[in-house]
């Protein structure tokens, strides 16, 4: 090799190294600079949410998710996709969900009702031995008249049109309990046309968007066309909020996959951890043409919405009649105390989103828009049954149901204010499935924000290490 070629190669290598150094040192500051400040459509700032989440919410919500009442989630992962022929299920082993054996489910959870948090529903001997029930979800004939009346009220309410989500029928033979702690949300390798089709359907067909406007980074978008954000800013508040909620949910899910990535597998023992390359691919301002920071800001916006819902629903759980029942009296009491403590924290947050600014126009128009909003979100919950990876489907269903429950709460303020203290409400009810989804979904958002802070530290550390290496 000639001396000139060697010099050229060395020069190119030095240039590449310099470019990498600049990129690594620049990236943390760019991410921090762009994911900061006041959020659009509300008066809250990113730093306030970070501090509130780190010191008040995250440690407590993590403990709550470990409690028996919240770790077992009943879900039907076998419902067929209602919109297109399925591409087939993911064959990657990490896509698999391990259902929980019947013997492992606490007696109070698998007993007679899907609303196993009210004392009126738990005050029976049948809860001590649920094996006598002919099938899960059956109403035992020995229940008191008061309990039977409560169940009828709940059934009637569950048949109403107030849901923002398509709920699984817990009585279906295909519905199974899943231990969420043993089936964590993380990178599974599920990607390609099947995964893209799901998100494309959500954004292109359910976000109040005309076909002529393409979402950012859509590979099918023409080189010229109406700017997405010009179009978005021209929408009413409600429709902007809808898009931000979906974008925030998407960002949160992507953060979980980046933070719990299969780094290596030696002798069948996997090592999971944060993958900075994957994080950059999904969120770096340069690689995403500025879209990554927008998505992360939408994550904070989604956090605010669900935080507001928790503060609003607190009176529902503060009633003496509500008992998060598993059959373990001491643990149930501790779980409720912890939950109420979290609710107190949510109410103390000083910069809540004001949901009263939504659907505030003329009554007829507002009602029509609210119904359209509800149906669009309900449709998205149905799309979750089209996800080909079981683990992705599990967490997709749980998090969309959690957000749907939050929306249901925000738009039921009058009904919540009228709740009776010592008897079941006929105007507003939450099933156990909704309660578990609501708190776990918020737990996922809290974790996402904590993971984002961790990535900022890791990126800063990488840049510092690389700079030091160049000095020697």
């Amino acid at each position: 090799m000639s001396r000139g070629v060697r010099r050229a190669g060395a020069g190119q290598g030095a240039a590449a190294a310099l470019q990498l150094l600049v990129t690594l040192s620049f990236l943390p500051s760019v991410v921090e600079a762009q994911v900061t400040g006041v959020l659009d459509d509300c008066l809250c700032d990113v730093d306030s949410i970070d501090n509130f989440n780190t010191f008040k919410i995250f440690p407590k919500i993590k403990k709550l998710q470990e409690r028996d009442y919240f770790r077992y989630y009943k879900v039907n992962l076998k419902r067929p996709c209602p919109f297109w022929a399925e591409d087939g299920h993911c064959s990657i082993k990490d896509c698999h969900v391990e259902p929980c054996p019947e013997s492992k489910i606490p007696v109070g959870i698998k007993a007679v009702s899907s609303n196993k948090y009210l004392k009126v529903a738990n005050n029976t001997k049948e809860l001590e031995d649920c094996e006598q029930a002919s099938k899960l979800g059956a109403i035992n004939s020995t229940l008191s008249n008061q309990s039977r009346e409560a169940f009828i009220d709940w059934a009637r309410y569950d048949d109403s049109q107030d849901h923002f989500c398509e709920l699984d029928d817990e009585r279906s033979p295909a519905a199974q309990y899943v231990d969420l702690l043993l089936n964590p949300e993380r990178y599974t390798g599920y990607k390609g046309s099947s995964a893209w089709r799901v998100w494309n359907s959500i954004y292109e067909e359910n976000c109040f968007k005309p076909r002529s406007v393409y979402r950012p980074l859509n590979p099918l978008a023409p080189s010229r066309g109406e700017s997405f954000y010009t179009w978005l800013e021209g929408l009413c508040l409600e429709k902007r909020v809808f898009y931000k909620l979906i974008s925030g949910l998407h960002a949160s899910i992507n953060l979980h996959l980046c933070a719990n990535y299969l780094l290596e597998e030696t002798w069948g023992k996997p090592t999971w951890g944060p993958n900075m390359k994957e994080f950059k691919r999904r969120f770096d301002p340069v690689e995403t043409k500025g879209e990554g920071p927008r998505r992360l800001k939408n994550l904070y916006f989604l956090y605010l919405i669900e935080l507001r819902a928790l503060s609003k629903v607190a009176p529902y759980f503060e009633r003496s009649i509500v008992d998060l029942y598993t059959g373990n009296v001491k643990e149930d009491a501790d779980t409720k105390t912890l939950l109420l403590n979290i609710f107190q924290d949510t109410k103390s947050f000083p910069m809540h989103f004001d949901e009263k600014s939504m659907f505030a126009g003329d009554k007829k128009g507002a009602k029509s828009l609210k119904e359209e909003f509800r149906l669009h979100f309900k449709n998205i919950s149905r799309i979750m049954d089209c996800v080909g990876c079981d683990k992705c489907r599990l967490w997709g269903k749980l998090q969309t149901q959690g957000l749907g429950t939050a929306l249901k709460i925000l738009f039921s303020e009058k009904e919540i204010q009228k709740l009776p203290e010592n008897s079941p409400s006929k105007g507003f009810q939450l099933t156990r499935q909704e309660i578990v989804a609501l708190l776990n979904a918020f737990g996922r958002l809290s974790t996402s924000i904590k993971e984002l802070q961790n990535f900022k530290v890791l990126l800063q550390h990488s840049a510092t290490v690389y700079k030091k290496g160049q000095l020697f």
Side-chain angles (χ1 to χ4, degrees), residues 211-228:
R211 294 279 185 180
S212 59
V213 177
Y214 289 81
R215 76 183 191 276
L217 305 182
N218 186 338
L220 300 181
S223 57
R224 292 184 179 181
E226 184 181 350
S227 165
F228 176 83

mmCIF file with all atom_site columns, all heavy atoms in Angstrom, residues 211-228:
data_model
loop_
_atom_site.group_PDB
_atom_site.id
_atom_site.type_symbol
_atom_site.label_atom_id
_atom_site.label_alt_id
_atom_site.label_comp_id
_atom_site.label_asym_id
_atom_site.label_entity_id
_atom_site.label_seq_id
_atom_site.pdbx_PDB_ins_code
_atom_site.Cartn_x
_atom_site.Cartn_y
_atom_site.Cartn_z
_atom_site.occupancy
_atom_site.B_iso_or_equiv
_atom_site.pdbx_formal_charge
_atom_site.auth_seq_id
_atom_site.auth_comp_id
_atom_site.auth_asym_id
_atom_site.auth_atom_id
_atom_site.pdbx_PDB_model_num
ATOM 1   N N   . ARG A 1 211 ? -56.379 11.790 4.170  1.00 0.00 ? 211 ARG A N   1
ATOM 2   C CA  . ARG A 1 211 ? -55.403 10.958 3.460  1.00 0.00 ? 211 ARG A CA  1
ATOM 3   C C   . ARG A 1 211 ? -54.286 11.779 2.823  1.00 0.00 ? 211 ARG A C   1
ATOM 4   O O   . ARG A 1 211 ? -53.192 11.281 2.594  1.00 0.00 ? 211 ARG A O   1
ATOM 5   C CB  . ARG A 1 211 ? -56.124 10.164 2.365  1.00 0.00 ? 211 ARG A CB  1
ATOM 6   C CG  . ARG A 1 211 ? -57.114 9.131  2.884  1.00 0.00 ? 211 ARG A CG  1
ATOM 7   C CD  . ARG A 1 211 ? -56.413 7.869  3.290  1.00 0.00 ? 211 ARG A CD  1
ATOM 8   N NE  . ARG A 1 211 ? -57.347 6.824  3.690  1.00 0.00 ? 211 ARG A NE  1
ATOM 9   C CZ  . ARG A 1 211 ? -56.968 5.626  4.085  1.00 0.00 ? 211 ARG A CZ  1
ATOM 10  N NH1 . ARG A 1 211 ? -55.687 5.334  4.158  1.00 0.00 ? 211 ARG A NH1 1
ATOM 11  N NH2 . ARG A 1 211 ? -57.859 4.717  4.438  1.00 0.00 ? 211 ARG A NH2 1
ATOM 12  N N   . SER A 1 212 ? -54.584 13.039 2.542  1.00 0.00 ? 212 SER A N   1
ATOM 13  C CA  . SER A 1 212 ? -53.602 13.877 1.846  1.00 0.00 ? 212 SER A CA  1
ATOM 14  C C   . SER A 1 212 ? -52.460 14.335 2.753  1.00 0.00 ? 212 SER A C   1
ATOM 15  O O   . SER A 1 212 ? -51.449 14.832 2.280  1.00 0.00 ? 212 SER A O   1
ATOM 16  C CB  . SER A 1 212 ? -54.297 15.106 1.254  1.00 0.00 ? 212 SER A CB  1
ATOM 17  O OG  . SER A 1 212 ? -54.917 15.862 2.289  1.00 0.00 ? 212 SER A OG  1
ATOM 18  N N   . VAL A 1 213 ? -52.637 14.156 4.057  1.00 0.00 ? 213 VAL A N   1
ATOM 19  C CA  . VAL A 1 213 ? -51.600 14.554 5.013  1.00 0.00 ? 213 VAL A CA  1
ATOM 20  C C   . VAL A 1 213 ? -50.974 13.298 5.609  1.00 0.00 ? 213 VAL A C   1
ATOM 21  O O   . VAL A 1 213 ? -51.669 12.443 6.152  1.00 0.00 ? 213 VAL A O   1
ATOM 22  C CB  . VAL A 1 213 ? -52.192 15.423 6.148  1.00 0.00 ? 213 VAL A CB  1
ATOM 23  C CG1 . VAL A 1 213 ? -51.126 15.765 7.179  1.00 0.00 ? 213 VAL A CG1 1
ATOM 24  C CG2 . VAL A 1 213 ? -52.788 16.700 5.565  1.00 0.00 ? 213 VAL A CG2 1
ATOM 25  N N   . TYR A 1 214 ? -49.661 13.180 5.501  1.00 0.00 ? 214 TYR A N   1
ATOM 26  C CA  . TYR A 1 214 ? -48.957 12.003 5.995  1.00 0.00 ? 214 TYR A CA  1
ATOM 27  C C   . TYR A 1 214 ? -48.230 12.321 7.293  1.00 0.00 ? 214 TYR A C   1
ATOM 28  O O   . TYR A 1 214 ? -47.690 13.419 7.461  1.00 0.00 ? 214 TYR A O   1
ATOM 29  C CB  . TYR A 1 214 ? -47.938 11.505 4.957  1.00 0.00 ? 214 TYR A CB  1
ATOM 30  C CG  . TYR A 1 214 ? -48.574 10.883 3.738  1.00 0.00 ? 214 TYR A CG  1
ATOM 31  C CD1 . TYR A 1 214 ? -49.071 11.679 2.716  1.00 0.00 ? 214 TYR A CD1 1
ATOM 32  C CD2 . TYR A 1 214 ? -48.677 9.498  3.610  1.00 0.00 ? 214 TYR A CD2 1
ATOM 33  C CE1 . TYR A 1 214 ? -49.661 11.116 1.588  1.00 0.00 ? 214 TYR A CE1 1
ATOM 34  C CE2 . TYR A 1 214 ? -49.257 8.922  2.492  1.00 0.00 ? 214 TYR A CE2 1
ATOM 35  C CZ  . TYR A 1 214 ? -49.748 9.735  1.481  1.00 0.00 ? 214 TYR A CZ  1
ATOM 36  O OH  . TYR A 1 214 ? -50.329 9.168  0.369  1.00 0.00 ? 214 TYR A OH  1
ATOM 37  N N   . ARG A 1 215 ? -48.215 11.358 8.189  1.00 0.00 ? 215 ARG A N   1
ATOM 38  C CA  . ARG A 1 215 ? -47.521 11.580 9.458  1.00 0.00 ? 215 ARG A CA  1
ATOM 39  C C   . ARG A 1 215 ? -46.018 11.635 9.214  1.00 0.00 ? 215 ARG A C   1
ATOM 40  O O   . ARG A 1 215 ? -45.522 11.083 8.217  1.00 0.00 ? 215 ARG A O   1
ATOM 41  C CB  . ARG A 1 215 ? -47.866 10.482 10.462 1.00 0.00 ? 215 ARG A CB  1
ATOM 42  C CG  . ARG A 1 215 ? -47.177 9.148  10.234 1.00 0.00 ? 215 ARG A CG  1
ATOM 43  C CD  . ARG A 1 215 ? -47.634 8.108  11.243 1.00 0.00 ? 215 ARG A CD  1
ATOM 44  N NE  . ARG A 1 215 ? -46.818 6.904  11.209 1.00 0.00 ? 215 ARG A NE  1
ATOM 45  C CZ  . ARG A 1 215 ? -47.000 5.903  10.371 1.00 0.00 ? 215 ARG A CZ  1
ATOM 46  N NH1 . ARG A 1 215 ? -47.970 5.979  9.471  1.00 0.00 ? 215 ARG A NH1 1
ATOM 47  N NH2 . ARG A 1 215 ? -46.223 4.842  10.411 1.00 0.00 ? 215 ARG A NH2 1
ATOM 48  N N   . PRO A 1 216 ? -45.262 12.266 10.106 1.00 0.00 ? 216 PRO A N   1
ATOM 49  C CA  . PRO A 1 216 ? -43.812 12.376 9.940  1.00 0.00 ? 216 PRO A CA  1
ATOM 50  C C   . PRO A 1 216 ? -43.136 11.012 9.828  1.00 0.00 ? 216 PRO A C   1
ATOM 51  O O   . PRO A 1 216 ? -43.525 10.044 10.489 1.00 0.00 ? 216 PRO A O   1
ATOM 52  C CB  . PRO A 1 216 ? -43.371 13.095 11.219 1.00 0.00 ? 216 PRO A CB  1
ATOM 53  C CG  . PRO A 1 216 ? -44.581 13.841 11.665 1.00 0.00 ? 216 PRO A CG  1
ATOM 54  C CD  . PRO A 1 216 ? -45.747 12.990 11.290 1.00 0.00 ? 216 PRO A CD  1
ATOM 55  N N   . LEU A 1 217 ? -42.147 10.932 8.950  1.00 0.00 ? 217 LEU A N   1
ATOM 56  C CA  . LEU A 1 217 ? -41.320 9.738  8.731  1.00 0.00 ? 217 LEU A CA  1
ATOM 57  C C   . LEU A 1 217 ? -42.081 8.574  8.095  1.00 0.00 ? 217 LEU A C   1
ATOM 58  O O   . LEU A 1 217 ? -41.583 7.458  8.044  1.00 0.00 ? 217 LEU A O   1
ATOM 59  C CB  . LEU A 1 217 ? -40.667 9.267  10.043 1.00 0.00 ? 217 LEU A CB  1
ATOM 60  C CG  . LEU A 1 217 ? -39.847 10.311 10.796 1.00 0.00 ? 217 LEU A CG  1
ATOM 61  C CD1 . LEU A 1 217 ? -39.228 9.692  12.050 1.00 0.00 ? 217 LEU A CD1 1
ATOM 62  C CD2 . LEU A 1 217 ? -38.760 10.907 9.919  1.00 0.00 ? 217 LEU A CD2 1
ATOM 63  N N   . ASN A 1 218 ? -43.294 8.817  7.619  1.00 0.00 ? 218 ASN A N   1
ATOM 64  C CA  . ASN A 1 218 ? -44.026 7.768  6.913  1.00 0.00 ? 218 ASN A CA  1
ATOM 65  C C   . ASN A 1 218 ? -43.322 7.504  5.583  1.00 0.00 ? 218 ASN A C   1
ATOM 66  O O   . ASN A 1 218 ? -43.205 8.398  4.745  1.00 0.00 ? 218 ASN A O   1
ATOM 67  C CB  . ASN A 1 218 ? -45.475 8.215  6.664  1.00 0.00 ? 218 ASN A CB  1
ATOM 68  C CG  . ASN A 1 218 ? -46.322 7.103  6.053  1.00 0.00 ? 218 ASN A CG  1
ATOM 69  O OD1 . ASN A 1 218 ? -45.809 6.162  5.440  1.00 0.00 ? 218 ASN A OD1 1
ATOM 70  N ND2 . ASN A 1 218 ? -47.620 7.208  6.217  1.00 0.00 ? 218 ASN A ND2 1
ATOM 71  N N   . PRO A 1 219 ? -42.836 6.277  5.366  1.00 0.00 ? 219 PRO A N   1
ATOM 72  C CA  . PRO A 1 219 ? -42.082 5.998  4.130  1.00 0.00 ? 219 PRO A CA  1
ATOM 73  C C   . PRO A 1 219 ? -42.928 6.118  2.866  1.00 0.00 ? 219 PRO A C   1
ATOM 74  O O   . PRO A 1 219 ? -42.389 6.210  1.768  1.00 0.00 ? 219 PRO A O   1
ATOM 75  C CB  . PRO A 1 219 ? -41.612 4.548  4.340  1.00 0.00 ? 219 PRO A CB  1
ATOM 76  C CG  . PRO A 1 219 ? -42.552 3.970  5.349  1.00 0.00 ? 219 PRO A CG  1
ATOM 77  C CD  . PRO A 1 219 ? -42.939 5.100  6.240  1.00 0.00 ? 219 PRO A CD  1
ATOM 78  N N   . LEU A 1 220 ? -44.252 6.122  3.005  1.00 0.00 ? 220 LEU A N   1
ATOM 79  C CA  . LEU A 1 220 ? -45.123 6.232  1.840  1.00 0.00 ? 220 LEU A CA  1
ATOM 80  C C   . LEU A 1 220 ? -45.428 7.679  1.476  1.00 0.00 ? 220 LEU A C   1
ATOM 81  O O   . LEU A 1 220 ? -46.097 7.946  0.474  1.00 0.00 ? 220 LEU A O   1
ATOM 82  C CB  . LEU A 1 220 ? -46.443 5.487  2.111  1.00 0.00 ? 220 LEU A CB  1
ATOM 83  C CG  . LEU A 1 220 ? -46.335 3.988  2.412  1.00 0.00 ? 220 LEU A CG  1
ATOM 84  C CD1 . LEU A 1 220 ? -47.718 3.408  2.641  1.00 0.00 ? 220 LEU A CD1 1
ATOM 85  C CD2 . LEU A 1 220 ? -45.621 3.259  1.283  1.00 0.00 ? 220 LEU A CD2 1
ATOM 86  N N   . ALA A 1 221 ? -44.977 8.617  2.310  1.00 0.00 ? 221 ALA A N   1
ATOM 87  C CA  . ALA A 1 221 ? -45.297 10.029 2.077  1.00 0.00 ? 221 ALA A CA  1
ATOM 88  C C   . ALA A 1 221 ? -44.582 10.540 0.824  1.00 0.00 ? 221 ALA A C   1
ATOM 89  O O   . ALA A 1 221 ? -43.417 10.215 0.588  1.00 0.00 ? 221 ALA A O   1
ATOM 90  C CB  . ALA A 1 221 ? -44.886 10.866 3.281  1.00 0.00 ? 221 ALA A CB  1
ATOM 91  N N   . PRO A 1 222 ? -45.264 11.321 0.004  1.00 0.00 ? 222 PRO A N   1
ATOM 92  C CA  . PRO A 1 222 ? -44.611 11.921 -1.158 1.00 0.00 ? 222 PRO A CA  1
ATOM 93  C C   . PRO A 1 222 ? -43.604 12.964 -0.720 1.00 0.00 ? 222 PRO A C   1
ATOM 94  O O   . PRO A 1 222 ? -43.636 13.450 0.419  1.00 0.00 ? 222 PRO A O   1
ATOM 95  C CB  . PRO A 1 222 ? -45.781 12.559 -1.923 1.00 0.00 ? 222 PRO A CB  1
ATOM 96  C CG  . PRO A 1 222 ? -46.820 12.816 -0.875 1.00 0.00 ? 222 PRO A CG  1
ATOM 97  C CD  . PRO A 1 222 ? -46.680 11.716 0.128  1.00 0.00 ? 222 PRO A CD  1
ATOM 98  N N   . SER A 1 223 ? -42.694 13.330 -1.609 1.00 0.00 ? 223 SER A N   1
ATOM 99  C CA  . SER A 1 223 ? -41.652 14.299 -1.244 1.00 0.00 ? 223 SER A CA  1
ATOM 100 C C   . SER A 1 223 ? -42.236 15.669 -0.953 1.00 0.00 ? 223 SER A C   1
ATOM 101 O O   . SER A 1 223 ? -41.698 16.441 -0.178 1.00 0.00 ? 223 SER A O   1
ATOM 102 C CB  . SER A 1 223 ? -40.616 14.401 -2.370 1.00 0.00 ? 223 SER A CB  1
ATOM 103 O OG  . SER A 1 223 ? -41.252 14.754 -3.590 1.00 0.00 ? 223 SER A OG  1
ATOM 104 N N   . ARG A 1 224 ? -43.371 15.972 -1.572 1.00 0.00 ? 224 ARG A N   1
ATOM 105 C CA  . ARG A 1 224 ? -44.028 17.247 -1.311 1.00 0.00 ? 224 ARG A CA  1
ATOM 106 C C   . ARG A 1 224 ? -45.462 17.013 -0.869 1.00 0.00 ? 224 ARG A C   1
ATOM 107 O O   . ARG A 1 224 ? -46.086 16.045 -1.248 1.00 0.00 ? 224 ARG A O   1
ATOM 108 C CB  . ARG A 1 224 ? -44.016 18.114 -2.563 1.00 0.00 ? 224 ARG A CB  1
ATOM 109 C CG  . ARG A 1 224 ? -42.638 18.595 -2.957 1.00 0.00 ? 224 ARG A CG  1
ATOM 110 C CD  . ARG A 1 224 ? -42.721 19.524 -4.161 1.00 0.00 ? 224 ARG A CD  1
ATOM 111 N NE  . ARG A 1 224 ? -41.414 20.024 -4.541 1.00 0.00 ? 224 ARG A NE  1
ATOM 112 C CZ  . ARG A 1 224 ? -41.211 20.867 -5.546 1.00 0.00 ? 224 ARG A CZ  1
ATOM 113 N NH1 . ARG A 1 224 ? -42.239 21.293 -6.261 1.00 0.00 ? 224 ARG A NH1 1
ATOM 114 N NH2 . ARG A 1 224 ? -39.978 21.282 -5.833 1.00 0.00 ? 224 ARG A NH2 1
ATOM 115 N N   . GLY A 1 225 ? -45.955 17.889 -0.083 1.00 0.00 ? 225 GLY A N   1
ATOM 116 C CA  . GLY A 1 225 ? -47.326 17.760 0.402  1.00 0.00 ? 225 GLY A CA  1
ATOM 117 C C   . GLY A 1 225 ? -47.539 18.696 1.570  1.00 0.00 ? 225 GLY A C   1
ATOM 118 O O   . GLY A 1 225 ? -46.613 19.372 2.032  1.00 0.00 ? 225 GLY A O   1
ATOM 119 N N   . GLU A 1 226 ? -48.745 18.737 2.055  1.00 0.00 ? 226 GLU A N   1
ATOM 120 C CA  . GLU A 1 226 ? -49.048 19.614 3.168  1.00 0.00 ? 226 GLU A CA  1
ATOM 121 C C   . GLU A 1 226 ? -48.255 19.213 4.401  1.00 0.00 ? 226 GLU A C   1
ATOM 122 O O   . GLU A 1 226 ? -48.148 18.029 4.739  1.00 0.00 ? 226 GLU A O   1
ATOM 123 C CB  . GLU A 1 226 ? -50.555 19.552 3.488  1.00 0.00 ? 226 GLU A CB  1
ATOM 124 C CG  . GLU A 1 226 ? -50.971 20.517 4.589  1.00 0.00 ? 226 GLU A CG  1
ATOM 125 C CD  . GLU A 1 226 ? -52.457 20.411 4.904  1.00 0.00 ? 226 GLU A CD  1
ATOM 126 O OE1 . GLU A 1 226 ? -53.184 19.742 4.158  1.00 0.00 ? 226 GLU A OE1 1
ATOM 127 O OE2 . GLU A 1 226 ? -52.878 21.005 5.912  1.00 0.00 ? 226 GLU A OE2 1
ATOM 128 N N   . SER A 1 227 ? -47.678 20.173 5.087  1.00 0.00 ? 227 SER A N   1
ATOM 129 C CA  . SER A 1 227 ? -46.909 19.901 6.292  1.00 0.00 ? 227 SER A CA  1
ATOM 130 C C   . SER A 1 227 ? -47.818 19.308 7.370  1.00 0.00 ? 227 SER A C   1
ATOM 131 O O   . SER A 1 227 ? -48.892 19.834 7.652  1.00 0.00 ? 227 SER A O   1
ATOM 132 C CB  . SER A 1 227 ? -46.271 21.187 6.816  1.00 0.00 ? 227 SER A CB  1
ATOM 133 O OG  . SER A 1 227 ? -45.825 21.032 8.141  1.00 0.00 ? 227 SER A OG  1
ATOM 134 N N   . PHE A 1 228 ? -47.353 18.223 7.993  1.00 0.00 ? 228 PHE A N   1
ATOM 135 C CA  . PHE A 1 228 ? -48.147 17.562 9.020  1.00 0.00 ? 228 PHE A CA  1
ATOM 136 C C   . PHE A 1 228 ? -48.425 18.511 10.182 1.00 0.00 ? 228 PHE A C   1
ATOM 137 O O   . PHE A 1 228 ? -49.547 18.600 10.667 1.00 0.00 ? 228 PHE A O   1
ATOM 138 C CB  . PHE A 1 228 ? -47.414 16.319 9.526  1.00 0.00 ? 228 PHE A CB  1
ATOM 139 C CG  . PHE A 1 228 ? -48.123 15.634 10.661 1.00 0.00 ? 228 PHE A CG  1
ATOM 140 C CD1 . PHE A 1 228 ? -49.152 14.738 10.421 1.00 0.00 ? 228 PHE A CD1 1
ATOM 141 C CD2 . PHE A 1 228 ? -47.778 15.902 11.986 1.00 0.00 ? 228 PHE A CD2 1
ATOM 142 C CE1 . PHE A 1 228 ? -49.815 14.114 11.462 1.00 0.00 ? 228 PHE A CE1 1
ATOM 143 C CE2 . PHE A 1 228 ? -48.439 15.290 13.031 1.00 0.00 ? 228 PHE A CE2 1
ATOM 144 C CZ  . PHE A 1 228 ? -49.453 14.393 12.764 1.00 0.00 ? 228 PHE A CZ  1
#
